[in-house]
Amino acid sequence: EDQVTQSPEALRLQEGESSSLNCSYTVSGLRGLFWYRQDPGKGPEFLFTLYSAGEEKEKERLKATLTKKESFLHITAPKPEDSATYLCAVQADDYKLSFGAGTTVTVRA
Amino acid sequence: SAVISQKPSRDICQRGTSLTIQCQVDSQVTMMFWYRQQPGQSLTLIATANQGSEATYESGFVIDKFPISRPNLTFSTLTVSNMSPEDSSIYLCSVGYSYYEQYFGPGTRLTVT
């Protein structure tokens, strides 16, 4: 069974204080690793899909990396508008996504 | 990306009743899915909505409780039947143009009293 573990559960940052979120996974035959951002009361917003170990993708202050066992989401110089829950999901040999519990990031001005 | 709408956005229902949630996409998509997000928890896949055939349900979810229709490539419905307070959740529609991009709708927040 696919397993996805995200840490920490919650992260409080000062504006400009860079940090990283972790997503470790166990899956047979990884097809892709997905990152989403979810604001309260809204559906998840697609950020990235990573396909193979060593791959990196960037979007504004976010950078995602992938190894064979985990992925990191780096937030560089965060702003209050980066406050959200960040979800990681793995996709195995079929098309289904298995989600982690998420990391809730709060950025204080 | 896709523009996905869901109706209703929220509802409060009485125990024992049923609610049908609609999902509309602005373009034809290959894959449509329904997820549940219980309070304070992450997303769980309920089923894959297959166009022209019966939906494929995940373990723990059954057709009698969550009947799904998908009459065409842009529309699907999920019904939550014979509701109980444990069904209070956010129900999310998701679509995929390929295996590598899946987008979510805004969700339907359901409260069962």
Side-chain angles (χ1 to χ4, degrees):
Chain A
E1 184 178 325
D2 302 341
Q3 279 200 309
V4 182
T5 303
Q6 291 188 246
S7 61
E9 291 184 12
L11 188 60
R12 294 176 63 85
L13 301 172
Q14 199 68 34
E15 183 173 5
E17 178 189 1
S18 300
S19 189
S20 293
L21 285 56
N22 178 264
C23 171
S24 62
Y25 61 89
T26 304
V27 62
S28 56
L30 180 71
R31 183 187 289 273
L33 187 138
F34 292 64
W35 282 100
Y36 290 87
R37 168 193 170 125
Q38 187 173 28
D39 293 303
K42 296 189 176 181
E45 173 190 347
F46 175 78
L47 294 174
F48 310 107
T49 305
L50 302 167
Y51 307 110
S52 58
E55 187 175 5
E56 299 181 351
K57 288 193 175 177
E58 290 188 63
K59 181 178 182 178
E60 296 180 358
R61 293 175 293 281
L62 302 176
K63 179 180 177 179
T65 62
L66 181 65
T67 72
K68 288 186 178 180
K69 294 186 177 181
E70 57 191 350
S71 177
F72 294 94
L73 184 65
H74 308 274
I75 309 178
T76 301
K79 298 182 178 182
E81 53 262 42
D82 294 321
S83 297
T85 296
Y86 291 86
L87 299 169
C88 164
V90 296
Q91 184 182 60
D93 290 337
D94 56 24
Y95 44 78
K96 303 171 191 176
L97 296 182
S98 297
F99 280 85
T103 295
T104 300
V105 175
T106 304
V107 182
R108 296 168 292 174
Chain B
S1 64
V3 177
I4 307 168
S5 60
Q6 286 186 233
K7 291 181 181 180
S9 59
R10 59 178 62 224
D11 208 340
I12 301 173
C13 301
Q14 291 198 340
R15 180 195 302 259
T17 62
S18 298
L19 176 72
T20 295
I21 302 168
Q22 298 180 4
C23 176
Q24 179 76 53
V25 191
D26 68 337
S27 59
Q28 294 186 345
V29 293
T30 307
M31 294 171 281
M32 293 184 80
F33 309 94
W34 287 97
Y35 287 82
R36 181 174 73 181
Q37 187 171 29
Q38 294 179 299
Q41 298 192 24
S42 194
L43 283 74
T44 302
L45 180 64
I46 297 172
T48 302
N50 300 309
Q51 195 263 330
S53 64
E54 199 169 278
T56 305
Y57 290 84
E58 297 302 301
S59 176
F61 298 97
V62 295
I63 187 171
D64 290 346
K65 177 67 175 177
F66 297 102
I68 288 171
S69 77
R70 189 175 174 192
N72 57 52
L73 294 177
T74 64
F75 185 79
S76 178
T77 66
L78 168 74
T79 299
V80 186
S81 302
N82 188 24
M83 287 184 284
S84 67
E86 292 71 36
D87 295 319
S88 296
S89 293
I90 299 173
Y91 291 88
L92 294 147
C93 168
S94 169
V95 304
Y97 298 99
S98 71
Y99 287 118
Y100 305 117
E101 293 182 43
Q102 289 191 24
Y103 302 96
F104 284 84
T108 296
R109 183 179 295 270
L110 171 62
T111 302
V112 184
T113 60

